[in-house]
Amino acid sequence: MITIGQLARYVGVSIKTIRVYHDKGLLPEPDRDASGYRRYGANDAIDLIKVRTLAEAGVPLARIRNLRSATDQEFQQALREIDDELTARIRGLRATQGRLRQLAAGHLTPLPSEVGAHLEHLVRWGFTPRWVDLQRDLWILVFAAHPERAVTLFDDQAETLADPALRQLFLDYDHAHGLDADDPRIDDLARRIAEATRERYGPDDLPKLDAGSEIPALIQGAVNASSPAWQRLDTLIREQLGELDA
């Protein structure tokens, strides 16, 4: 028979840990000798090794107490369940780690990787930093408010910009930012954009969010507020597409 201190050294745990296991019912508390000291035998050491092994594997102490009396089949099933729980926790921790890394890189609201790649394309195609930042903020809004439609709308824009002729219209829109609102080039650009839009989608099939959503108005309002020329472009385009009374 050995003392609690000897048992702790043999198994590789602290005396305090053994006492915690006693308190939680994980390890039966042995009888005391005539001097009032606990005395442990080989079975106690084996039980302690089992408890320590399960605890080090990440099994919650409350589950270990139940496993001590489980059949072999119940034990194996419980271990599979614990493994599934750990897998889910690891997946969640990795997702959290990814978000933290994006935050550390200055991305307060992470976007799908496809959007990030698209924004990099905008830079290479010659769009201004102002336009790229605006697009990032607008996609953040769309993906946050309408995740079920955001991917479809994004894919449509990415496909549109892959066409050099259509991309040039967007570049012209971007570079019209500093024009006077009554510049005749705005009228010409609005006409060309409306024509390209009708040719691409037809008169009644424009990609859009649900009719009850306020997001399109918020987005266009943010765009228009940054430039009188852009505001007039929006008005002219919508008039020519029949969205406003001319």
Side-chain angles (χ1 to χ4, degrees), residues 13-242:
V13 298
S14 67
I15 294 175
K16 181 179 179 180
T17 297
I18 295 176
R19 288 174 175 158
V20 169
Y21 290 167
H22 284 326
D23 291 341
K24 293 185 176 297
L26 303 179
L27 186 68
E29 195 166 346
D31 296 331
R32 297 176 182 267
D33 61 15
S35 301
Y37 294 105
R38 297 185 183 94
R39 294 294 177 175
Y40 298 85
N43 287 337
D44 297 312
I46 292 171
D47 285 344
L48 179 57
I49 290 171
K50 290 179 179 178
V51 173
R52 182 205 65 186
T53 302
L54 290 170
E56 289 178 346
V59 180
L61 295 185
R63 300 287 291 274
I64 294 175
R65 182 174 58 249
N66 297 331
L67 289 175
R68 292 189 69 257
S69 58
T71 65
D72 184 65
Q73 183 176 0
E74 292 171 338
F75 185 83
Q76 295 300 324
Q77 177 61 30
L79 290 184
R80 285 192 291 270
E81 292 174 358
I82 293 168
D83 182 70
D84 291 341
E85 292 170 5
L86 289 173
T87 299
R89 285 173 56 193
I90 290 170
R91 187 181 300 115
L93 288 171
R94 285 176 175 166
T96 299
Q97 182 183 55
R99 288 192 291 270
L100 287 173
R101 287 176 176 174
Q102 289 180 315
L103 288 172
H107 305 308
L108 297 181
T109 305
L111 285 167
S113 58
E114 295 83 358
V115 179
H118 175 71
L119 295 173
E120 292 177 0
H121 288 323
L122 295 182
V123 175
R124 289 197 294 272
W125 286 331
F127 286 92
T128 64
R130 175 193 56 247
W131 181 273
V132 176
D133 289 343
L134 178 62
Q135 292 297 307
R136 177 184 293 107
D137 291 344
L138 298 184
W139 283 120
I140 285 173
L141 181 59
V142 173
F143 272 91
H146 295 282
E148 74 287 351
R149 289 282 293 135
V151 172
T152 299
L153 293 173
F154 169 74
D155 288 345
D156 178 75
Q157 187 186 96
E159 181 180 324
T160 298
L161 290 176
D163 183 319
L166 296 177
R167 183 166 67 242
Q168 186 60 52
L169 290 177
F170 279 86
L171 282 165
D172 291 345
Y173 198 124
D174 176 15
H175 297 149
H177 180 274
L179 295 177
D180 291 334
D182 58 355
D183 191 305
R185 286 173 290 182
I186 292 178
D187 297 78
D188 178 66
L189 178 57
R191 177 188 55 76
R192 289 188 289 124
I193 291 176
E195 289 176 355
T197 302
R198 283 193 295 268
E199 181 178 349
R200 178 168 170 77
Y201 301 109
D204 302 314
D205 196 27
L206 298 179
K208 56 186 176 181
L209 295 173
D210 296 336
S213 174
E214 298 178 351
I215 299 303
L218 287 175
I219 290 175
Q220 195 60 55
V223 173
N224 292 347
S226 67
S227 164
W230 281 359
Q231 183 174 13
R232 185 159 183 267
L233 259 176
D234 174 51
T235 300
L236 291 173
I237 291 169
R238 291 202 289 157
E239 284 178 354
Q240 295 184 39
L241 291 177

